[in-house]
Amino acid sequence: NVWAVNDSRLTEAHDACGAVAQCPITLHEFDEPVMLADGTVYEHEAVLDWLRRHDVSPCTNLPLRHKVGLKLTPLKFVLEHVLSATPKPRLEHAVADAVETLSGESHDVVSMLKVCQNLSASLAEGVSELARWQTLVSKADVVLEDVRRRLAATSALCLQRVCRTFLAQSSLALQQDRRMQAMVRSALQVQSRSRTFLAQQCLDIAGRRRRQTELLASQQCKAFARMFAAKVRLLHVRNLRRHCQLSKQVL
């Protein structure tokens, strides 16, 4: 801190040891303080000389975002003007005037009467202002209680809405889970039926092939039997012819 507020003026700030603020570069009191981008205040000429040769902060040794400095002296004038233009309460002025009058060596009746009247009027005005503030504080308490009550009701409604939303989402998730389980069961049933159908088809195909094989074997057996019977008849005919030839030769 470079300055401290004293009544309506800015005076040099002192630390806990009573020392005034000093420039980190020159280690002397400020004549024309300037603030850099690192937030530290330096003496104008010293920091200008530093910035000509460096791009980092004199205190932190970190790169500066920019080399633009803010002069604090014009800001001091503005703050003092604002402080001096800010009106003090009338009672505070009356008490200050009374203390100043009583601290003097001469106390004439006229000045004492004037101070007494001024202080009495200011005190009455202060009491009225205090009553007004008390009324305002009471009203503020009532309004605050109403706000808290409405806030509690609104919070309860919000909590109810959150609970309803959570329950609705939970119910929806449960329905989706049940629907998914039903779909899985349906898929398993379809898969089981498909397997049963495929097994039945395989059995049917195997049965047809077996019947075809049996029919083919039966046909082959019948053909073989006909061929065998034909050969037997042929042999029998040949034997008959031989017997006939032998009988003719004998005669």
Side-chain angles (χ1 to χ4, degrees):
N1 295 330
V2 181
W3 301 300
V5 178
N6 184 8
D7 197 8
S8 61
R9 299 191 61 187
L10 295 179
T11 58
E12 293 181 347
H14 295 76
D15 58 12
C17 298
V20 297
Q22 295 179 347
C23 174
I25 300 176
T26 63
L27 300 180
H28 292 89
E29 298 179 9
F30 291 103
D31 290 330
E32 191 176 357
V34 175
M35 180 183 290
L36 291 186
D38 61 350
T40 309
V41 181
Y42 306 93
E43 183 61 33
H44 184 216
E45 293 297 331
V47 78
L48 283 182
D49 182 65
W50 172 274
L51 293 176
R52 292 189 190 99
R53 296 178 286 107
H54 304 85
D55 294 327
V56 296
S57 169
C59 288
T60 62
N61 202 29
L62 296 175
L64 293 170
R65 290 177 294 177
H66 55 77
K67 291 186 177 182
V68 179
L70 174 64
K71 290 186 177 181
L72 300 183
T73 303
L75 182 61
K76 177 183 178 182
F77 295 150
V78 173
L79 292 176
E80 287 182 344
H81 177 72
V82 172
L83 291 174
S84 62
T86 303
K88 293 184 178 180
R90 182 178 177 183
L91 182 58
E92 185 177 353
H93 278 292
V95 172
D97 292 341
V99 172
E100 184 178 358
T101 302
L102 293 176
S103 62
E105 296 179 357
S106 60
H107 304 287
D108 56 85
V109 177
V110 177
S111 60
M112 294 287 290
L113 182 60
K114 182 178 180 181
V115 168
C116 183
Q117 291 176 350
N118 188 19
L119 189 58
S120 299
S122 300
L123 184 60
E125 183 181 352
V127 171
S128 176
E129 186 71 14
L130 180 60
R132 188 178 69 84
W133 275 102
Q134 288 177 347
T135 304
L136 186 61
V137 168
S138 301
K139 185 177 180 180
D141 287 336
V142 174
V143 173
L144 179 60
E145 186 65 26
D146 184 47
V147 170
R148 287 177 176 173
R149 181 178 56 80
R150 294 188 180 185
L151 180 61
T154 305
S155 301
L157 289 176
C158 291
L159 183 60
Q160 289 179 359
R161 291 174 182 173
V162 170
C163 292
R164 290 174 182 174
T165 303
F166 176 75
L167 291 176
Q169 291 179 351
S170 300
S171 177
L172 182 61
L174 183 61
Q175 291 178 0
Q176 291 179 352
D177 188 29
R178 290 178 178 176
R179 190 180 299 112
M180 185 63 66
Q181 291 179 358
M183 292 175 62
V184 170
R185 286 195 297 268
S186 299
L188 291 176
Q189 291 177 358
V190 170
Q191 187 177 8
S192 177
R193 291 177 181 177
S194 298
R195 289 177 179 177
T196 304
F197 177 75
L198 291 176
Q200 188 66 34
Q201 291 293 323
C202 291
L203 290 176
D204 293 342
I205 293 173
R208 286 197 297 270
R209 288 182 178 178
R210 185 173 59 255
R211 288 193 294 272
Q212 290 176 358
T213 304
E214 291 176 354
L215 179 61
L216 181 61
S218 176
Q219 291 176 354
Q220 289 179 351
C221 289
K222 290 179 179 180
F224 179 76
R226 287 194 294 270
M227 289 176 61
F228 181 75
K231 288 182 177 181
V232 169
R233 286 195 296 274
L234 181 60
L235 290 174
H236 183 66
V237 170
R238 288 180 180 176
N239 290 330
L240 288 176
R241 288 179 179 176
R242 287 178 182 175
H243 284 296
C244 290
Q245 289 177 1
L246 291 175
S247 296
K248 288 179 179 181
Q249 289 177 0
V250 171
L251 294 174

